[in-house]
């Protein structure tokens, strides 16, 4: 099969990345030893290849460019446009340009001989004091061989398997105008990373060499495969960035705010010990202390939110023991509270390890969001076969959770008109969902009711490890 298409579109430079931007792509990624560039235009090809050359030269590699579709002069110009001192690099032996057909074919294509040549060139680079060898090759040379494209793909896989510790990095270049869809699809099987539309992507279609010869990778429309790879790469990056930001925000909440509020509380306590305060002054300071304590509690909740977001491992938890421990803690914090418990079943469930913190939050909310003195709280736990759920419910005679707050929790986002009371209920919601359950707000004629519902499938016969 001839991998070259019968028609060739005019180059389309639209969307060509700036040299500095694609260079930052190479710098921000840990490159594998075998990449493929898929390009629509020569401008895209040369900009990316030159940025790759600059990156590899800067990390102490000898660089070899194998041209075939482009003239040597065009390649030199592109390297110069990337701020590479071409003449000096040539004179010092850092940079070499060679005709790809001469290197790969040399009369006929011999994969073993080609791999040995790359071995020798890498060894020579190491002997000359470089950190290794990097190669960018224009793969249009394969149109000048009588072998089928499958033989070329076999060579690509052989290269992957050969001497994986050898310090060599290659960028194979595939024109989307010159290679047909089937050939592009096959090329995707043999490159762990790809460069497409200015983005370095982990390739979900890559087939490791150990599996390549024994498998028949499924074929798909090549453009769709490339777009999927790019979309997945972008999704992974977005997720990584979001996790980094969450980590920074939570670290700030946990450490900076907690430490600084402790200092403020210490000073306020010292001022309150003074017998020179008027009643009005004392009340104002007590109000300030109350709000600082709220900020401190928020920073503590952030620790559990971070754990919920970053650790989805479940563990066996005795729900009856959780209720008992949480109620005891509530009575210590609010000695006047009137707590009624009803535990008809005490199953052990596989749940988020922070489940107790979620129950603590519901109990404390039940006390804080009511005007009754002494505060009244009811806690129940039972297994409801009809609902196929284990239900833990906390209720109080105070005002129900506002509809705006419940709507925000239900839709998963806050707006200026729908702002929850801090992060407490969000924490409970995420803990419940991590436990494959849900947070619900049953209707009540009076007062407030909040539930954590866990599926009966979460019940386990395993007992939790003793504390």
């Amino acid at each position: 099969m001839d991998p070259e298409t019968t028609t060739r579109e005019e180059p389309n430079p639209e969307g060509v990345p700036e040299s500095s931007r694609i260079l930052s792509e190479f710098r921000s990624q840990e490159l594998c030893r075998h990449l493929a560039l898929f390009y629509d235009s020569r401008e895209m090809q040369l900009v990316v290849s030159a940025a790759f050359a600059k990156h590899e030269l800067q990390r102490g590699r000898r660089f070899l460019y194998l041209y075939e579709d482009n003239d040597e002069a065009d390649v030199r110009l592109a390297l110069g446009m990337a701020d590479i001192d071409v003449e000096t690099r040539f004179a010092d032996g850092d940079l070499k340009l060679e005709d790809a057909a001469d290197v790969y074919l040399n009369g006929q294509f011999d994969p073993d001989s080609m791999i040995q040549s790359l071995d020798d060139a890498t060894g020579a680079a190491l002997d000359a004091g470089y950190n290794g060898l990097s190669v960018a090759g224009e793969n249009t040379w394969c149109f000048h061989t009588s072998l089928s494209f499958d033989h070329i793909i076999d060579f690509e896989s052989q290269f992957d398997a050969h001497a994986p510790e050898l310090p060599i990095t290659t960028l194979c270049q595939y024109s989307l105008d010159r290679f047909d869809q089937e050939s592009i699809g096959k090329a995707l099987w043999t490159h762990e990373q790809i460069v497409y539309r200015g983005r370095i992507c982990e390739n979900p279609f890559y087939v490791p060499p150990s599996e390549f010869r024994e498998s028949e990778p499924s074929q798909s429309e090549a453009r769709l495969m490339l777009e999927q790879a790019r979309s997945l790469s972008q999704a992974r990056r977005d997720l990584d960035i979001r996790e980094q930001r969450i980590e920074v925000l939570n670290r700030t909440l946990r450490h900076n705010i907690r430490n600084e509020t402790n200092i403020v509380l210490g000073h306020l306590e010292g001022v309150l010990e003074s017998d020179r305060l008027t009643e009005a002054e004392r009340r104002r300071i007590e109000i300030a202390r109350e709000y600082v304590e709220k900020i401190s509690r928020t920073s503590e909740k952030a620790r559990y939110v971070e754990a919920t977001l970053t650790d989805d491992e479940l563990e066996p938890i005795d729900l009856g023991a959780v209720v008992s421990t949480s109620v005891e803690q509530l009575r210590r914090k609010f000695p006047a509270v009137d707590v009624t418990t009803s535990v008809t079943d005490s199953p052990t469930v596989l749940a988020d390890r922070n489940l107790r913190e979620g129950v603590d939050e519901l109990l404390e909310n039940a006390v804080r969001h009511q005007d009754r003195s002494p505060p009244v709280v009811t806690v129940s736990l039972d297994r409801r076969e009809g609902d196929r759920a284990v239900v833990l419910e906390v209720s109080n005679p105070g005002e129900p959770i506002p509809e705006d707050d419940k709507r925000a929790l239900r839709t998963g986002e806050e707006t200026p008109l729908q702002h929850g009371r801090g992060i407490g209920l969000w924490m409970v919601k995420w803990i419940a969902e991590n436990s494959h359950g849900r947070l619900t707000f049953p209707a009540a004629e009076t007062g407030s009711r909040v539930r954590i519902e866990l599926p009966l499938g979460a019940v386990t016969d395993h007992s939790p490890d003793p504390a």
Side-chain angles (χ1 to χ4, degrees):
M1 181 198 70
D2 183 356
E4 187 167 16
T5 54
T6 56
T7 61
R8 179 174 180 178
E9 299 175 2
E10 289 300 313
N12 175 20
E14 182 180 352
V16 174
E18 296 177 1
S19 180
S20 58
R21 186 163 69 81
I22 187 62
L23 180 60
S24 70
E25 279 281 308
F26 285 114
R27 287 174 174 168
S28 65
Q29 301 293 313
E30 183 175 344
L31 301 184
C32 67
R33 68 199 301 262
H34 195 193
L35 300 87
L37 164 63
F38 297 96
Y39 59 92
D40 287 298
S41 69
R42 292 196 182 192
E43 184 180 356
M44 172 71 82
Q45 175 192 18
L46 291 172
V47 167
V48 173
S49 298
F52 173 65
K54 184 172 183 176
H55 176 263
E56 297 303 285
L57 288 167
Q58 287 178 340
R59 70 185 187 117
R61 292 289 187 92
R62 172 176 278 171
F63 192 83
L64 170 63
Y65 191 98
L66 302 174
Y67 61 89
E68 198 283 328
D69 201 26
N70 290 291
D71 294 331
E72 180 178 352
D74 294 331
V75 178
R76 283 176 174 266
L77 179 61
L79 295 172
M81 293 290 288
D83 291 329
I84 297 173
D85 188 341
V86 177
E87 297 307 321
T88 300
R89 289 289 194 174
F90 266 107
D92 293 342
D94 304 342
L95 179 63
K96 294 186 176 183
L97 269 67
E98 297 184 19
D99 189 311
D102 292 342
V103 173
Y104 282 104
L105 298 177
N106 195 22
Q108 63 178 358
F109 177 63
D110 182 349
D112 293 333
S113 175
M114 187 62 236
I115 289 175
Q116 185 59 54
S117 295
L118 292 172
D119 272 6
D120 294 343
T122 305
L126 293 171
D127 291 342
Y130 297 95
N131 295 329
L133 176 70
S134 296
V135 183
E138 300 178 1
N139 275 24
T140 45
W141 61 267
C142 70
F143 299 141
H144 307 299
T145 176
S146 59
L147 298 174
S148 72
F149 190 67
D150 287 345
H151 286 83
I152 309 302
I153 291 300
D154 282 343
F155 162 66
E156 299 267 33
S157 184
Q158 276 182 260
F159 172 77
D160 264 2
H162 178 75
E165 301 304 318
L166 198 66
I168 180 171
T169 303
T170 62
L171 178 69
C172 301
Q173 302 172 37
Y174 288 91
S175 168
L176 294 172
D177 295 332
R178 299 287 299 280
F179 288 86
D180 63 25
Q181 295 288 298
E182 183 179 358
S183 300
I184 294 296
K186 290 179 178 179
L188 278 165
W189 301 339
T190 54
H191 296 86
E192 191 173 351
Q193 286 176 322
I194 63 173
V195 187
Y196 176 62
R197 291 206 287 136
R199 175 63 49 79
I200 298 175
C201 314
E202 299 300 319
N203 181 10
F205 306 105
Y206 173 67
V207 179
S210 59
E211 303 173 17
F212 183 77
R213 292 185 178 278
E214 300 175 2
S215 64
E216 293 184 4
S218 60
Q219 294 190 32
S220 181
E221 202 276 319
R223 284 279 189 170
L224 177 60
M225 295 167 73
L226 288 167
E227 292 294 342
Q228 288 174 336
R230 192 176 191 278
S231 296
L232 286 170
S233 178
Q234 183 62 50
R236 290 191 189 101
R237 292 186 190 199
D238 291 345
L239 183 59
D240 288 343
I241 290 170
R242 182 165 298 186
E243 288 179 348
Q244 289 170 1
R245 291 174 180 173
I246 289 172
E247 183 181 349
V248 170
L249 288 172
N250 278 285
R251 190 185 306 120
T252 300
L253 287 169
R254 290 201 324 267
H255 297 290
N256 301 44
I257 294 179
R258 182 179 59 189
N259 293 342
E260 290 164 11
T261 53
N262 285 341
I263 293 172
V264 174
L265 287 170
H267 284 290
L268 291 176
E269 291 290 347
V271 173
L272 285 172
E273 292 174 0
S274 172
D275 56 5
R276 298 180 181 180
L277 296 174
T278 66
E279 282 303 312
E281 291 171 335
R282 187 175 300 278
R283 179 56 186 153
R284 291 176 70 179
I285 293 172
E286 287 175 346
I287 291 172
R289 181 179 64 177
E290 177 183 340
Y291 278 92
V292 173
E293 286 175 345
K294 286 183 178 181
I295 295 172
S296 183
R297 287 196 299 272
T298 298
S299 72
E300 185 63 21
K301 292 171 190 175
R303 179 166 67 89
Y304 298 115
V305 168
E306 181 185 30
T308 301
L309 293 174
T310 58
D311 184 1
D312 58 0
E313 290 187 11
L314 306 182
E315 62 182 34
I317 295 177
D318 184 336
L319 279 181
V322 164
V323 170
S324 176
T325 304
S326 292
V327 168
E328 289 177 10
Q329 176 172 296
L330 187 73
R331 285 174 171 150
R332 286 195 298 271
K333 185 173 288 189
F334 305 97
V337 69
D338 180 5
V339 185
T340 301
T341 60
S342 174
V343 179
T344 60
D345 194 5
S346 181
T348 295
V349 296
L350 286 174
D352 188 298
R353 64 183 62 188
N354 299 300
L355 181 61
R356 212 206 88 189
E357 280 68 30
V359 178
D360 289 346
E361 175 68 17
L362 293 184
L363 291 176
E364 188 169 329
N365 270 349
V367 171
R368 294 186 183 279
H369 294 289
Q370 62 173 286
D371 295 329
R372 185 162 177 168
S373 183
V376 174
V377 179
T378 300
V379 188
S380 65
L381 173 64
D382 59 32
R383 186 192 311 224
R384 299 185 180 178
E385 297 291 343
D387 296 333
R388 302 296 299 163
V390 177
V391 179
L392 190 158
E393 181 173 297
V394 177
S395 59
N396 66 47
E399 292 295 321
I401 304 293
E403 285 300 319
D404 283 348
D405 287 14
K406 290 190 285 188
R407 189 179 301 111
L409 290 162
R410 196 166 53 245
T411 60
E413 61 182 20
E414 292 190 317
T415 72
L417 297 178
Q418 297 170 196
H419 48 281
R421 307 177 196 179
I423 62 174
L425 283 178
W426 288 103
M427 178 185 75
V428 179
K429 169 185 168 71
W430 292 328
I431 289 172
E433 290 176 350
N434 273 10
S435 306
H436 304 297
R438 60 179 184 156
L439 177 68
T440 64
F441 305 95
E445 292 184 6
T446 60
S448 173
R449 298 169 66 194
V450 183
R451 283 180 183 172
I452 294 176
E453 298 181 7
L454 301 177
L456 279 180
V459 177
T460 175
D461 294 330
H462 301 291
S463 298
D465 295 332

